[in-house]
Amino acid sequence: MGVPLRRRSGRSVYREGTPVAAVAGVVESAWTGVVGCRRPLRVFPDGCVDLVWDGTVLAAVTTVRGVLRHELPSTGWTVGLRLRCGAGGAVLGLPMTELRAGATPLRDLWAVGARRAEARLAESGAPGEARKVLETLVAERLRDVEVDGLTLAAARALRAPGARTDRVAAKLGVSERGLRRHIRHDVGVGPKELQRVLRFRRFLERVEAVARDQASLADIAADVGYADQSHLGRECRRLSGASPGALVRSWTGRNVPD
């Protein structure tokens, strides 16, 4: 992923990397954050779950309905794994509709296994060591659970501009009702709401192009599947609490009008 969807302001630095092969089927990326100052982490909805070690607690952080302000403690660095959209329910072991938005301590879900991981993470002296602990934890988890490939495939299909839920369901060999049941379990919302979130995520991935004057907001709105720039504006405010231009300005420092 070229543009991080969860980014800190100030002097903090955020970097993503490729996970090890053993967990790549369910992990989209591994990331490290170097915390320059104590400010809330602004998490935009993306349908994913992040397993985050913040130096104190190992938590599952998720949001799918709107922007989340996640407070990080004063620590030198954080590390996390972002689960692929559609893998959350299986990996965590519960319907995502039961998981509240925000951070849930993993020890509340995995008990002893999570506490052992926290002990190893606390002993880690560098982000690379902590990342290996997280990847090992997920790899061990995958030995005991069955990941729903249908939900992962549905999330990929619904990401395409103009995708229709009836056609996605038919292609995957399930009814629309069945598709909705799978996605609600593994993501926490239905297919239509997930489409809105994935479309917004596509817009965020194009923010740098707007800032560099390589494309206009109107062009990107059309490219990613919005009816027009006004539609983009409404959805942006709904899912992030800010206008498209304000997001570009906060992300890049460039003055871009709405």
Side-chain angles (χ1 to χ4, degrees):
M1 190 185 312
V3 178
L5 300 185
R6 305 175 181 214
R7 185 172 184 172
R8 292 181 202 99
S9 55
R11 298 179 181 177
S12 300
V13 178
Y14 171 98
R15 294 188 178 92
E16 291 188 350
T18 303
V20 295
V23 299
V26 298
V27 175
E28 181 177 289
S29 64
W31 57 264
T32 300
V34 179
V35 184
C37 53
R38 182 172 180 173
R39 293 186 181 182
L41 176 66
R42 183 171 56 169
V43 183
F44 293 120
D46 57 10
C48 300
V49 178
D50 283 42
L51 304 182
V52 181
W53 169 248
D54 65 7
T56 304
V57 176
L58 175 58
V61 180
T62 182
T63 179
V64 73
R65 296 185 183 276
V67 68
L68 172 71
R69 304 280 179 174
H70 178 56
E71 187 72 36
L72 290 174
S74 298
T75 184
W77 48 265
T78 61
V79 66
L81 299 181
R82 176 163 307 121
L83 302 183
R84 294 187 182 277
C85 182
V91 174
L92 294 183
L94 80 169
M96 292 299 296
T97 50
E98 296 182 8
L99 196 67
R100 62 179 176 82
T104 300
L106 209 57
R107 65 174 78 112
D108 292 351
L109 305 178
W110 294 356
V112 176
R115 291 182 183 277
R116 283 200 297 262
E118 284 185 328
R120 294 196 295 270
L121 287 164
E123 295 172 355
S124 299
E129 295 176 24
R131 170 179 164 173
K132 289 179 182 178
V133 172
L134 290 182
E135 289 173 331
T136 299
L137 177 65
V138 173
E140 292 173 349
R141 179 72 177 169
L142 291 177
R143 300 190 192 114
D144 301 322
V145 301
E146 183 176 350
V147 178
D148 189 350
L150 188 148
T151 305
L152 288 168
R156 288 193 296 269
L158 291 171
R159 183 178 169 83
R164 287 177 42 175
T165 57
D166 58 341
R167 292 177 180 174
V168 170
K171 183 177 181 179
L172 295 175
V174 295
S175 66
E176 286 190 73
R177 183 175 180 179
L179 181 68
R180 176 179 174 81
R181 183 175 65 252
H182 280 269
I183 292 176
R184 281 185 57 80
H185 181 279
D186 290 314
V187 181
V189 295
K192 290 291 187 183
E193 182 67 16
L194 177 58
Q195 279 187 294
R196 300 176 83 171
V197 169
L198 295 176
R199 184 173 54 202
F200 175 65
R201 187 176 180 181
R202 290 197 301 274
F203 163 69
L204 291 180
E205 291 170 349
R206 301 288 300 278
V207 161
E208 294 286 352
V210 177
R212 293 172 183 166
D213 296 324
Q214 296 172 341
S216 67
L217 285 174
D219 290 338
I220 288 181
D223 288 346
V224 303
Y226 290 103
D228 52 31
Q229 189 173 337
S230 295
H231 184 202
L232 166 63
R234 292 193 300 273
E235 288 292 279
C236 229
R237 289 179 176 86
R238 174 180 176 271
L239 292 171
S240 73
S243 68
L247 283 180
V248 174
R249 291 191 292 272
S250 68
W251 208 286
T252 66
R254 292 288 301 277
N255 186 18
V256 177
D258 287 309

